[in-house]
Structure formats: C-alpha cells, structure tokens
C-alpha cells in the first residue's frame, strides 16, 4: 500500500510517499481502508520533532523506521480482530490513531473508532476526531462547563475552535469567540453570542467577564489570560498553535499553568487528550442531530499531503483541512 513516511526531521517536505506492507491487526484492532483523513498541527510537529521532547517517543536523532504520519481518519472496515465486537467488515467508521492514518489502510484499536454518521461525507467525518475530541474534553472534563456559564474561546475559527464554539452552545453556555476580521461571520454562524475581532479589540481587557476561557492560540501570558476571568473562573490551556520550537513547545505554557494554579483562586488546567470511542459516539450523536458540523476550509488529494501541512502550519486555516483518497 501507499503511505507517507519520513526518515529525517524537518518541514513537511521531508515526507515521502512510499510502498509499504499492509499492517497486521492485533486481536482488539480493526483494519480500516482509509477513504479520508485530515491534517492537524500535531502532524507537522511530529514531522519536525517540534517540540524536541517528541523525540523521546518517535526517535532521538531521526524518526524510528516504519513510522507513518497522520492521526485522523475515516474509512471502511476491511477486517476485524477476534476480540472485536460491534464492528464488522463493510462498516463505515471514523476515529483517530497516534500515528499511521496517512496511508491507504491502517490498523486501529476498536476503542478509538465509532460508526460514521450517515449524513457526513468521509471528508467531514475524518475532520472530527482530534480537534473535536480536544474541544470536548477541554470544555467538559477540564473546564467543567455548565449551562448558563459565560465562555470565551480564543482561536474560535480554527480546527479546535470551530468545534469548541458549537460544543459550548450544546452545553447551554453563552459563548464569545475570538478571531480575525475575515472570520467574524463564520464564528457567528457557528452560534457564538458575541465575537471579538482581535485586530480591533484586546479580549484580555474585558476584566472579570467569563467563567471559562479556552485558549487555543497560546499568544498571551498567563497573567493576561486570567484578566477576563471571574475571580473563580477556569482557564483551559490547549497548548498554543503559536508556540513553536524549544524543548517543550506548547506544553511549556501548560507547565507554567500547573505551577501557578495552586497559588491563585482561579483554576488553570491543561487539556489531556484521551482518544476513546465513547466520546466519538457522543460527537457522532450530536452530528446526527445537526448540533455539531465540521467546518472544512480546503480538501487536498492524498498525493498533496505535504502541501496541506504547509497550509495549516501558516496558522490561518478556517476550521479543518481534509485529505481525500
């Protein structure tokens, strides 16, 4: 089969399309014939070992042999392991893996898959997993969102942000989105009650307004991010798409938040991404009811994955960027 791999660290151009063996499946895994994928900052960060800490898992001096890039996927079940229940060949599914989805087929643990909503295309379904999962767990589990709260999403027009705005509304919150001028109408169309154009207003000057703030961008200090929060508000740090390079990269802000949190009245917490089928099924239910819709900026063919990664690395994608096979 064809798959995108890399044998040295660097920009997306280090990726090469190779012929590799089709993966075997473990008893608890499913072989999925990939019909679509999507790209995330997670992918170009792995290609460039950004942050350097990533090398501990993928290779110190160069990537470990045989690694295939990609996390999000949607496709058709081709084979199932002997311990798999509830899925069978022919089922249309979507989900996520740590690595491996930029390939024509991928072995996926059953607990990282869910049945694809019938109303979604494969490209839409493949755009859900990592971004929507991060938004859901950040708001619900880390942020402890509840109905009636005032919630601000910094980075509301990106992959995670477009899902965060919609999810916060389903939880009954009053939502403010922060984005650039060209994305104001998009964020408003997703259900935001208020939209801040950061080119015209500094949202951190809105002192004491919000019960929960999800920061996806990572371009403000902790002190500034705490200003718009109420005295007992919660700051959820996603890591920051603007943080690049260094030993810790986006995790540096999360670490600072963990160190500061015990000494202030506000809660400061980082998102702990935990892929699981229960959450994917929850998201699928919202999409079936048309309460959650993936926003896709562009779609690239499988042969142009490096170009897709270059595009999202520039940081101006509206929603997600999908890959079609």
């Amino acid at each position: 089969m064809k798959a995108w791999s890399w044998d040295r660290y660097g920009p997306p151009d280090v990726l090469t399309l190779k012929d590799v063996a089709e993966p075997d499946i473990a008893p608890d895994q499913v072989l999925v014939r990939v019909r679509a994928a999507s790209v995330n900052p997670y992918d170009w960060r792995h290609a460039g070992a950004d942050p350097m800490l990533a090398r501990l898992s993928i290779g110190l001096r160069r990537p470990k042999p045989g690694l295939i890039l990609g996390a999000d996927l949607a496709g058709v079940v081709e084979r199932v392991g002997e311990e798999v229940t509830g899925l069978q060949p022919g089922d249309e599914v979507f989900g996520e893996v740590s690595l491996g989805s930029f390939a024509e087929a991928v072995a996926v643990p059953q607990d990282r898959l869910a049945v694809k909503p019938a109303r979604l295309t494969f490209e839409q379904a493949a755009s859900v997993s990592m971004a929507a999962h991060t938004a859901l767990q950040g708001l619900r589990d880390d942020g402890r969102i509840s109905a009636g709260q005032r919630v601000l999403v910094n980075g509301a027009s990106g992959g995670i942000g477009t899902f965060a705005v919609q999810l916060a509304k389903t939880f009954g919150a009053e939502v403010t989105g922060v984005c650039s001028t060209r994305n104001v109408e998009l964020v408003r169309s997703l259900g935001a009650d208020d939209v801040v154009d950061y080119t015209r207003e500094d949202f951190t000057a809105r002192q004491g307004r919000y019960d929960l703030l999800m920061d996806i961008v990572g371009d403000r200090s902790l002190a500034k991010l705490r200003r718009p929060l109420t005295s007992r508000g919660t700051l959820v740090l996603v890591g920051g798409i603007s943080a690049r390079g260094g030993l810790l990269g986006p995790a540096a802000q999360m670490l600072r938040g963990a160190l500061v949190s015990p000494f202030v009245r506000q809660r400061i917490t980082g998102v702990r991404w935990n892929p699981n089928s229960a959450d994917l099924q929850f998201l699928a239910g919202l999409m079936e009811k048309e309460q959650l819709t993936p926003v896709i900026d562009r779609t690239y063919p499988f042969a142009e994955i490096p170009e897709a990664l270059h595009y999202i690395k520039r940081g101006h994608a509206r929603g997600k960027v999908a890959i079609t096979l």
Side-chain angles (χ1 to χ4, degrees):
M1 68 175 188
K2 298 288 187 181
W4 284 97
S5 186
W6 75 118
D7 56 13
R8 68 185 191 280
Y9 295 123
D13 301 314
V14 301
L15 294 180
T16 56
L17 187 59
K18 297 181 178 180
D19 287 304
V20 300
E22 195 170 275
D24 296 322
I25 57 172
D28 66 338
Q29 289 183 324
V30 171
L31 183 70
V32 178
R33 185 63 53 182
V34 180
R35 293 285 298 276
S38 71
V39 294
N40 298 284
Y42 175 92
D43 301 314
W44 61 253
R45 288 188 185 279
H46 272 72
D50 180 359
M52 292 178 63
L53 193 65
R55 295 173 183 252
L56 294 179
S57 61
I58 60 177
L60 292 177
R61 300 189 67 180
R62 60 181 61 246
K64 296 175 183 177
L67 291 182
I68 297 170
L69 207 62
D72 290 341
L73 67 118
V76 179
V77 174
E78 194 160 289
R79 294 201 311 272
V80 300
E82 57 191 29
E83 295 177 4
V84 172
T85 59
L87 291 175
Q88 59 187 3
D91 286 345
E92 297 182 349
V93 294
F94 73 106
E96 57 210 299
V97 289
S98 298
L99 288 169
S101 71
F102 292 171
E104 292 178 327
V106 59
V108 188
Q110 180 184 10
D111 62 5
R112 289 192 174 198
L113 289 171
V115 174
K116 181 181 78 67
R119 63 180 291 267
L120 295 190
T121 65
F122 283 105
E123 289 76 19
Q124 288 176 312
S127 299
V128 172
S129 302
M130 180 174 281
H133 232 151
T134 302
L136 173 64
Q137 293 173 357
L139 291 170
R140 182 196 62 195
D141 304 338
D142 302 303
R144 303 173 189 172
I145 192 172
S146 61
Q149 284 188 324
R150 291 163 296 179
V151 175
L152 184 142
V153 178
N154 182 31
S157 62
I160 297 171
T162 51
F163 285 113
V165 170
Q166 295 176 80
L167 286 167
K169 291 300 296 182
T170 68
F171 284 113
E174 179 185 313
V175 182
T176 296
V178 180
C179 62
S180 65
T181 306
R182 76 185 186 102
N183 295 320
V184 167
E185 291 307 315
L186 167 65
V187 173
R188 187 172 284 119
S189 73
L190 297 174
D193 301 283
D194 186 22
V195 183
V196 176
D197 178 350
Y198 67 73
T199 68
R200 300 181 179 182
E201 179 186 354
D202 180 1
F203 73 89
T204 67
R206 295 185 163 197
Q207 193 164 352
R209 289 196 188 186
Y210 301 100
D211 304 293
L212 171 60
L213 192 159
M214 173 176 276
D215 179 50
I216 303 165
V217 182
D219 62 347
R220 302 290 203 284
S221 68
L222 289 177
K224 287 186 176 180
L225 288 172
R226 289 176 52 218
R227 287 178 193 166
L229 287 172
T230 62
S231 61
R232 298 288 182 178
T234 297
L235 173 60
V236 176
L237 303 170
V238 176
I241 57 175
S242 65
R244 301 187 182 188
L247 178 64
L248 299 177
Q253 190 187 49
M254 293 187 183
L255 179 59
R256 288 192 291 270
L259 294 173
V260 169
S261 189
F263 303 100
V264 297
R265 288 189 295 174
Q266 295 156 330
R267 284 184 64 243
I268 305 176
T269 182
V271 175
R272 297 177 294 276
W273 176 53
N274 174 33
N276 64 87
S277 60
D279 282 348
L280 290 174
Q281 290 164 10
F282 174 78
L283 294 167
L286 293 178
M287 290 185 288
E288 287 283 17
K289 292 184 286 187
E290 300 187 24
Q291 294 179 314
L292 186 69
T293 300
V295 175
I296 297 180
D297 182 323
R298 299 184 182 185
T299 300
Y300 287 80
F302 183 65
E304 296 180 8
I305 281 179
E307 288 84 350
L309 289 173
H310 274 300
Y311 179 65
I312 66 156
K313 191 175 181 180
R314 291 196 287 269
H316 299 297
R318 294 155 54 96
K320 292 283 295 181
V321 173
I323 304 297
T324 184
L325 277 75

